[in-house]
Amino acid sequence: GEAWVPNASGTLLEYGPSWSVPGARLEEFRKASEAYRYPKGLGLLGCAWQEGKPVWLPEISSDERCVRRALAYRVGIRTAAAIPVLAGRDVIAVLVFFHVESRQEDRRLVLLATAIAAQLGAVMHRKRAEDALHRSQELLREIMDSSEVVIYVTDTQGRFLHVNRRFE
């Protein structure tokens, strides 16, 4: 399996963490995959990213949507499924799962992976919001502390919650 995430500009999916059973052939696939980038709509990953829906390829070698089909076939990968990780309506990652046998789509497996991806998306979205809040708080603290003006914040009982360096 692999995780692909949008780059900073949100224009391409980039290779992220991957996992597999040990094996030199799969290592070849992993190493080669690190160089790939996918815009929306290109290949298995780009389709899942653009549509925000799972995409299942029962036989990679004969499916034009699989950009890495020759490499996958050479190392023994036959089936792939791409599952978008959603935060609201935004796709924040695409998970790709591979199998060494050709397999028709398993709807129950797709629904299970989609449900797990939805939970992962909610956690990732919450973590990003927490990180943004933390950065915002740090910036506000830096601004307050660098000011030459006395700044303080009190609660409704008049207790000091924060004072800047100038106040101190």
Side-chain angles (χ1 to χ4, degrees), residues 88-161:
R89 292 184 173 177
D90 297 327
V91 176
I92 58 174
V94 176
L95 303 177
V96 185
F97 301 97
F98 302 102
H99 198 280
V100 296
E101 297 173 5
S102 296
R103 293 183 66 176
Q104 292 302 312
E105 183 172 343
D106 181 336
R107 255 343 263 160
R108 290 181 348 151
L109 184 58
V110 170
L111 290 173
L112 175 62
T114 301
I116 293 168
Q119 294 300 312
L120 179 60
V123 169
M124 290 173 68
H125 183 67
R126 185 172 46 252
K127 175 71 171 129
R128 287 180 178 178
E130 289 171 358
D131 290 348
L133 177 60
H134 181 70
R135 285 190 305 274
S136 175
Q137 289 171 332
E138 287 296 316
L139 178 60
L140 179 59
R141 189 174 341 266
E142 288 174 20
I143 291 169
M144 288 179 64
D145 285 344
S146 66
S147 175
E148 293 299 318
V149 176
V150 170
I151 301 173
Y152 60 91
V153 178
T154 61
D155 64 13
T156 56
Q157 284 78 38
R159 293 180 294 222
F160 290 99
L161 301 175

Side-chain angles (χ1 to χ4, degrees), residues 5-14 37-42 46 49:
V5 293
N7 62 3
S9 64
T11 57
L12 296 170
L13 283 178
E14 295 182 337
R37 304 290 180 270
Y38 292 91
K40 285 185 178 177
L42 177 67
W49 186 22

